[in-house]
Amino acid sequence: NAGVTQTPKFQVLKTGQSMTLQCAQDMNHNSMYWYRQDPGMGLRLIYYSASEGTTDKGEVPNGYNVSRLNKREFSLRLESAAPSQTSVYFCASSVDSGTGYGYTFGSGTRLTVV
Amino acid sequence: DAKTTQPNSMESNEEEPVHLPCNHSTISGTDYIHWYRQLPSQGPEYVIHGLTSNVNNRMASLAIAEDRKSSTLILHRATLRDAAVYYCILRHANFGNEKLTFGTGTRLTIIP
């Protein structure tokens, strides 16, 4: 049981380049999330998908887009990367949103924008 | 949004119990109290959660004050592997209002 799988694990981009971070879960969870974590800080929610076919903005959505491709997969796209988007990105999933269920996190994607 | 307050850091001796406090004085009636921990270079890991009653699982215990304005995560016998940043988080139980907000957490150091 892999849990939440994120690819790639590391990436270096030049300013203005685009890329998509991939996330897949195999736990049949309904809800999925994208967070970013900057050095010395807690996680901040970028976007989430409460269920297949729905997406909503979190605390810091500017500069990002998301796609809930199916129940398993939730991707995060940076259309034109900026140095301020240098961060560690975590994908998470949960049985459901709006309940007391815990989250399962992936191991993260470390992104550097130069 | 309801927020939590935790000490920035704590130290504990190996094989002793650890009590990690969290204040959440503006908690609402539908907020669940969640605890996660993050080991170095890893994603956060779910530890435990509760609503009103104290909770126990294989990892830890969660003691919730009667007025729910504070809680304590209890590690019964700390090991070196418990050294991590511990986050206390309030999770709203309103469908479609997902705002699981992480603070800066408590960095727990275990002394051998």
Side-chain angles (χ1 to χ4, degrees):
Chain A
N1 212 356
V4 177
T5 302
Q6 292 183 236
T7 56
K9 294 190 182 303
F10 301 93
Q11 184 71 49
V12 178
L13 288 179
K14 294 182 179 179
T15 297
Q17 286 185 320
S18 63
M19 80 162 294
T20 299
L21 281 64
Q22 306 287 352
C23 175
Q25 52 91 9
D26 60 2
M27 296 170 287
N28 201 35
H29 285 175
N30 288 311
S31 302
M32 298 185 72
Y33 313 84
W34 276 104
Y35 284 86
R36 61 177 287 175
Q37 185 174 34
D38 299 319
M41 298 182 65
L43 280 74
R44 292 184 292 171
L45 181 64
I46 306 171
Y47 270 94
Y48 68 98
S49 171
S51 61
E52 186 178 358
T54 69
T55 60
D56 285 284
K57 295 179 180 179
E59 181 185 357
V60 288
N62 291 342
Y64 305 95
N65 286 300
V66 290
S67 295
R68 184 74 183 266
L69 304 170
N70 47 55
K71 191 172 185 179
R72 289 187 63 249
E73 299 173 288
F74 189 39
S75 63
L76 178 71
R77 182 160 178 84
L78 287 70
E79 290 292 350
S80 178
S84 61
Q85 295 178 303
T86 293
S87 189
V88 181
Y89 291 84
F90 291 101
C91 177
S93 69
S94 177
V95 169
D96 210 341
S97 67
T99 68
Y101 290 101
Y103 286 13
T104 301
F105 282 84
S107 57
T109 294
R110 189 174 297 274
L111 176 67
T112 302
V113 183
V114 298
Chain B
D1 291 341
K3 297 189 184 300
T4 63
T5 303
Q6 300 176 252
N8 289 331
S9 62
M10 291 183 62
E11 289 185 349
S12 180
N13 293 320
E14 192 178 10
E15 299 187 2
E16 292 187 355
V18 182
H19 289 68
L20 296 164
C22 181
N23 287 318
H24 28 79
S25 58
T26 59
I27 190 171
S28 72
T30 55
D31 286 339
Y32 284 79
I33 302 161
H34 282 240
W35 283 83
Y36 290 78
R37 70 180 186 182
Q38 188 173 22
L39 280 64
S41 300
Q42 295 189 25
E45 175 187 27
Y46 167 80
V47 177
I48 199 167
H49 77 276
L51 184 61
T52 57
S53 302
N54 295 344
V55 184
N56 299 295
N57 66 21
R58 64 175 180 81
M59 291 182 69
S61 296
L62 176 60
I64 302 173
E66 193 170 337
D67 63 5
R68 301 210 324 127
K69 294 185 176 182
S70 65
S71 61
T72 302
L73 179 70
I74 302 165
L75 307 178
H76 295 286
R77 189 167 171 271
T79 69
L80 295 177
R81 292 169 53 187
D82 291 322
V85 177
Y86 286 79
Y87 296 98
C88 168
I89 301 155
L90 301 182
R91 183 172 184 185
H92 298 279
N94 297 317
F95 187 82
N97 185 24
E98 187 62 38
K99 293 182 180 179
L100 190 67
T101 303
F102 285 73
T104 53
T106 297
R107 183 174 298 278
L108 176 64
T109 300
I110 304 299
I111 302 168

